Amino acid sequence: MIPLINLKQQFQEVKDDILNEFECVLESGQYILGPKVKLLEDRIAERLGVEEAVAVANGTDALVLTLQAYGIGEGDEVITTPFTFFASAEAVSRVGATPVFADVDPETYNIDPAKIEEKITTATKAIIPVHIFGQPADMDDIMAIAKKHGLFVIEDACQAFGAEYKGRPVGSLGDAACFSFFPTKNLGTLGDGGMVTTSDRDAARKIRSLRTHGTRKKYFHNQIGFNSRLDELHAAILLIILEKIDSWNEQRRNIAKRYQRALSGVSDLELPKEKEDRSHIYHLYCLGAEKRDEMMNTLQEYQIQSGIYYPRCLHLQDVYSFLPYKKGDFPVAESLSEKLFAIPMHPFLLKEEQDQIISVLLKRGEG
Ligand SMILES: *Cc1c(COP(=O)(O)O)cnc(C)c1O
């Protein structure tokens, strides 16, 4: 079976370094929010050219703590995309605010700036664009709308570490940005982890306090916070992966180029489009087919794994049935949920495996 993603192989590539770090951390006596975490924060802030990076327990918490740091809660609205992983909207609900959805662009699958403004009310406080599958959203347009209406922009960059928009890295484009280090993310660890990046020192200070039970200093609490800390071991592993991420992202991009070259022109396949002014890091390689089930079945017959991201838009999730949405409200997002499927994409996908995937899709496409 050719898997969608091969984590075992990925971590095997850096096994010796990881085992070495394991020993260092074990010997250090510091296991949570210690010097490795601080170093990871510094490296990421420096790389992105932002003032602060604050490590937290996971990407969802990164979003929740950031929303709370900006004072967003009950009675507030936050505009985001219905075509994303659930956590992008869940974080909004978690702080007591209401997610408001705006449809996506059919080419990039990202929130469509032209659909945002009509959703703004007096209750709107922020926009959460998601750089879906690793391609940056239309940040200039989104920032201009936010500025005009006095809204915060919180990038959900959980799928896009290393992607760039007009030469600037995601994570440095909004007021703040959130990353996930879940194992399957392109910058992932052997467990959970997350990071908020921002040049807003006040927000960073609040998030640092929130991640450790709302402390001002140890044992002095000035707000109700969270236990949302990053472990030293994960920080140590992430420092290793951080050294690799550019070459791993480049390998993903090269595989995407090969898929693109081989599959363009196949009539019943819609390939992902990469905009010229930004770089896609292909956290996932999703393509569209009207006959998705048949395509996926054929791939399965040839021992090639495929997957659906995402089979149900967020406005149609059971838990959001209390929100004023119905099927048909976001036709672009809904059609993506009906036609997109992901094929294997990871830095260590062999040429022969790529060829096999391509030949099955070509055969299927012609047939
Ligand atoms: C993975 C992901 C999250 C949540 O990250 P966790 O670390 O799993 O909590 C949020 N948003 C998007 C778009 C994601 O892909």
Side-chain angles (χ1 to χ4, degrees):
M1 192 76 174
I2 305 178
L4 268 179
I5 171 168
N6 194 336
L7 291 178
K8 203 169 137 182
Q9 189 182 357
Q10 177 179 310
F11 287 112
Q12 206 68 30
E13 295 282 324
V14 286
K15 182 177 170 183
D16 291 343
D17 292 339
I18 288 177
L19 291 179
N20 195 29
E21 280 301 327
F22 201 107
E23 180 128 20
C24 291
V25 171
L26 190 115
E27 294 294 332
S28 77
Q30 281 176 284
Y31 305 121
I32 292 177
L33 292 185
K36 297 283 180 190
V37 170
K38 176 76 173 67
L39 187 59
L40 180 70
E41 290 178 340
D42 290 348
R43 290 257 164 91
I44 287 183
E46 191 185 347
R47 182 189 157 113
L48 301 187
V50 295
E51 296 294 327
E52 301 255 6
V54 185
V56 293
N58 54 67
T60 308
D61 278 7
L63 288 162
V64 171
L65 271 60
T66 303
L67 287 162
Q68 188 157 331
Y70 280 125
I72 294 165
E74 204 126 337
D76 296 333
E77 294 176 357
V78 177
I79 298 173
T80 190
T81 159
F83 190 71
T84 175
F85 178 60
F86 183 59
S88 312
E90 184 186 31
V92 174
S93 299
R94 179 46 66 205
V95 298
T98 303
V100 172
F101 300 110
D103 209 353
V104 298
D105 178 301
E107 297 209 326
T108 64
Y109 318 149
N110 278 318
I111 194 165
D112 183 348
K115 304 281 170 60
I116 291 177
E117 219 156 5
E118 65 199 55
K119 299 288 178 174
I120 295 173
T121 71
T122 52
T124 309
K125 289 291 180 318
I127 304 169
I128 301 181
V130 181
H131 307 307
I132 201 76
F133 303 152
Q135 173 152 240
D138 288 298
M139 289 305 293
D140 279 355
D141 291 350
I142 292 167
M143 294 308 290
I145 293 166
K147 190 162 178 214
K148 182 171 154 198
H149 296 273
L151 309 175
F152 295 112
V153 174
I154 302 167
E155 295 171 69
D156 181 337
C158 288
Q159 302 186 357
F161 193 94
E164 290 187 350
Y165 176 82
K166 300 187 177 174
R168 291 177 296 145
V170 304
S172 71
L173 306 166
D175 294 286
C178 300
F179 290 97
S180 165
F181 305 133
F182 185 77
T184 61
K185 304 299 160 92
N186 69 320
L187 179 61
T189 183
L190 300 176
D192 279 307
M195 186 78 76
V196 180
T197 57
T198 182
S199 288
D200 180 341
R201 294 224 182 245
D202 189 47
R205 190 176 44 75
K206 287 179 181 151
I207 295 164
R208 281 185 201 284
S209 162
L210 285 170
R211 75 176 171 180
T212 52
H213 306 284
T215 40
R216 182 161 47 84
K217 61 179 185 183
K218 207 168 187 187
Y219 305 125
F220 292 84
H221 305 266
N222 54 354
Q223 60 183 327
I224 299 299
F226 300 80
N227 171 358
S228 184
R229 306 171 298 213
L230 187 66
D231 300 336
E232 283 290 277
L233 208 47
H234 289 310
I237 293 166
L238 288 161
L239 282 162
I240 295 167
I241 311 278
L242 195 58
E243 296 285 313
K244 304 277 178 196
I245 195 67
D246 288 326
S247 78
W248 288 6
N249 280 346
E250 197 53 39
Q251 281 166 263
R252 289 174 181 276
R253 289 177 53 73
N254 286 337
I255 295 165
K257 266 185 218 145
R258 275 196 91 219
Y259 280 155
Q260 201 81 22
R261 237 178 279 131
L263 298 172
S264 63
V266 179
S267 58
D268 41 3
L269 282 183
E270 249 178 74
L271 304 182
K273 291 187 186 66
E274 183 173 340
K275 291 256 171 158
E276 272 178 18
D277 58 0
R278 60 202 84 172
S279 69
H280 194 322
I281 54 83
Y282 296 97
H283 162 65
L284 290 170
Y285 190 94
C286 290
L287 24 75
E290 293 305 330
K291 294 180 178 162
R292 175 173 70 185
D293 290 349
E294 286 178 31
M295 285 285 178
M296 291 179 70
N297 286 338
T298 309
L299 288 164
Q300 176 74 28
E301 278 166 32
Y302 286 87
Q303 302 287 309
I304 297 164
Q305 196 186 13
S306 60
I308 299 177
Y309 302 88
Y310 293 94
R312 183 168 290 180
C313 294
L314 299 193
H315 66 289
L316 300 175
Q317 294 289 342
D318 291 347
V319 67
Y320 283 143
S321 59
F322 71 94
L323 294 175
Y325 301 108
K326 58 181 187 317
K327 198 165 163 52
D329 284 349
F330 304 112
V332 181
E334 289 169 29
S335 86
L336 296 178
S337 74
E338 283 158 16
K339 72 183 177 194
L340 289 191
F341 64 106
I343 58 175
M345 169 57 81
H346 61 86
F348 308 102
L349 193 66
L350 300 173
K351 231 179 178 119
E352 302 85 78
E353 294 175 319
Q354 298 165 33
D355 288 338
Q356 203 180 327
I357 295 159
I358 287 165
S359 80
V360 171
L361 287 172
L362 284 176
K363 206 178 302 170
R364 181 64 243 181
E366 284 156 8

